[in-house]
Amino acid sequence: MKDIAIYTLTSALHDEQSVAASTHLFLSSLGIDYDMCGSDFSTYGQSILDLIYVRTGGTENIFRQLLPQIQSSGKPVLLLTSGTNNSLAASMEILSFLQQNNMQGEILHGQPQYIIKRISELQQLAQARRKLQGCRLGVIGKPSDWLISSATDYQIVHNKLGIELIDIPLDEIRKAIGDTAIDGGQQGALRIYDALKQIVEKHNLQGFTLRCFDLLTELHNTGCLALARLNSEGLVASCEGDIPAMLSMTVVRALFGISGFQANPAHIDVETGQILLAHCTIPLDMVERYEYDTHFESGIGVGIRGYMPAGPVTIFKLSGDITRHFVAEGQLLRCESRPNLCRTQAIVQFDNPAETKYFLTNPIGNHHILLPGHHAKLLSEMIKIL
């Protein structure tokens, strides 16, 4: 287990020889080397994942004395216990104390296969949180005028996610393209792609959101193809200057290393639990095949009609103030090509049909993120520790 540090708590009342024997047995069942453990907490918080192995009972006050050092890491407290030597009882007392003081924590206890899986999940969460720290995301042009509920406080985003939001004038695209007019087809769309790549490199960005509709009037083309390609290359590229959508896609990228499809709900059937999601661009690494069309609303430029494979999916959205999120799982039934909607169209059947009522009663804006696979558990946990 790489990038993990294990710190031990042991009461002096217990026989060390006996405790050591049970420790070796327990750790070996988890595939952990005994040499990884130590009672010196001076480096606590420096590894991606820190575990506190409560070896015995009678360690509650030892923990409380170490708490200022442990708390300064800002991480949830993870208590590993075998259950021998009253270690589970002590861990429960410690966790109860943490909760009374509004601190997060968890006891890792059970069958070895469960503990191994849970440590792997926690390591994934910790790695994602570290990836967000210092991440630079561009806001190219202001958010679109119709995103009236999607205001974002840049300082809150920095404090909670560690992400720096950087305002970039939309005119930088024109400067990167130059004075030569671009055509309204694929070649023109690729010149927008090249310009956005230059902006990403210039500002050292890991992603951006683009006020893309202004390109229709200024450049007579769209950013749909550029965003489709840039997302598939590992960046986060969001439409319409939608910062919460960009943040949601960034969390998905950090946690799972995959792209997300930013889309509008176009039709919802709360009785069957089906929803139709549509947009004119989709990351090319999410589709089995795709076609070029025009941008739906304007009828110009290049839009993407993508066809994703059927199977398990998750729908996710994080609010701009990081206080709310929505996540639900379902099955992507099929993709369609109706002429009266944005070009990429996905029909999703929710596993819990009642969850579709959220969109009609308490939505977080209009755009939501569709991603392949079932990921609700880890996404919810990720938001909890931010």
Side-chain angles (χ1 to χ4, degrees), residues 84-364:
T84 59
N85 301 306
N86 288 324
S87 59
L88 178 57
S91 297
M92 292 171 62
E93 188 72 18
I94 291 170
L95 182 58
S96 179
F97 172 78
L98 289 170
Q99 292 171 342
Q100 288 173 357
N101 289 276
N102 300 312
M103 289 178 277
Q104 296 183 36
E106 178 181 344
I107 297 171
L108 307 179
H109 174 75
Q111 295 297 320
Q113 61 268 27
Y114 164 75
I115 298 176
I116 292 169
K117 179 183 176 183
R118 186 59 184 148
I119 290 175
S120 178
E121 291 175 343
L122 291 166
Q123 189 175 19
Q124 186 177 350
L125 289 164
Q127 287 171 333
R129 189 178 184 187
R130 179 169 286 191
K131 287 177 183 177
L132 293 177
Q133 299 297 313
C135 183
R136 291 169 56 86
L137 300 178
V139 182
I140 305 177
K142 299 183 298 181
S144 294
D145 297 340
W146 48 85
L147 297 179
I148 61 174
S149 73
S150 301
T152 303
D153 186 312
Y154 285 27
Q155 192 59 51
I156 289 176
V157 169
H158 185 267
N159 292 344
K160 291 196 172 184
L161 297 176
I163 291 174
E164 182 181 0
L165 297 175
I166 301 156
D167 289 321
I168 300 169
L170 193 65
D171 191 52
E172 284 204 21
I173 296 179
R174 167 59 78 185
K175 291 177 181 177
I177 289 174
D179 296 330
T180 307
I182 68 172
D183 64 46
Q186 185 178 344
Q187 290 303 314
L190 288 173
R191 289 184 65 187
I192 294 173
Y193 161 78
D194 289 334
L196 287 169
K197 285 201 76 168
Q198 290 180 45
I199 291 171
V200 165
E201 294 171 4
K202 174 183 176 181
H203 295 278
N204 189 26
L205 303 177
Q206 285 73 56
F208 63 86
T209 186
L210 172 66
R211 186 181 170 95
C212 47
F213 271 74
D214 286 23
L215 302 183
L216 297 170
T217 54
E218 294 185 19
L219 300 176
H220 307 290
N221 211 313
T222 68
C224 301
L225 177 57
L227 302 186
R229 290 188 62 171
L230 290 167
N231 272 299
S232 68
E233 293 170 5
L235 286 166
V236 169
S238 161
C239 311
E240 300 178 34
D242 191 329
I243 299 175
M246 173 180 63
L247 295 176
S248 302
M249 294 166 71
T250 303
V251 169
V252 167
R253 175 73 68 185
L255 190 51
F256 305 112
I258 60 176
S259 298
F261 172 42
Q262 174 187 341
N264 298 316
H267 180 75
I268 297 166
D269 188 329
V270 295
E271 294 182 332
T272 63
Q274 287 190 10
I275 183 171
L276 170 59
L277 297 163
H279 228 206
C280 280
T281 185
I282 182 169
L284 298 183
D285 59 342
M286 293 185 68
V287 301
E288 296 177 309
R289 61 186 178 90
Y290 64 92
E291 306 162 354
Y292 293 138
D293 202 333
T294 57
H295 178 255
F296 168 62
E297 287 90 344
S298 66
I300 67 173
V302 179
I304 309 293
R305 179 180 291 110
Y307 295 88
M308 290 173 279
V313 291
T314 302
I315 296 176
F316 173 61
K317 182 67 178 293
L318 179 65
S319 66
D321 59 4
I322 326 297
T323 61
R324 294 180 58 209
H325 78 282
F326 172 79
V327 63
E329 296 177 340
Q331 298 291 322
L332 194 156
L333 302 181
R334 63 189 179 277
C335 290
E336 297 189 340
S337 57
R338 303 181 191 182
N340 61 343
L341 286 174
C342 291
R343 304 314 185 189
T344 295
Q345 305 159 20
I347 294 181
V348 175
Q349 172 69 57
F350 275 61
D351 291 345
N352 178 5
E355 290 181 313
T356 56
K357 293 182 179 179
Y358 147 85
F359 295 96
L360 305 180
T361 59
N362 195 27
I364 304 173

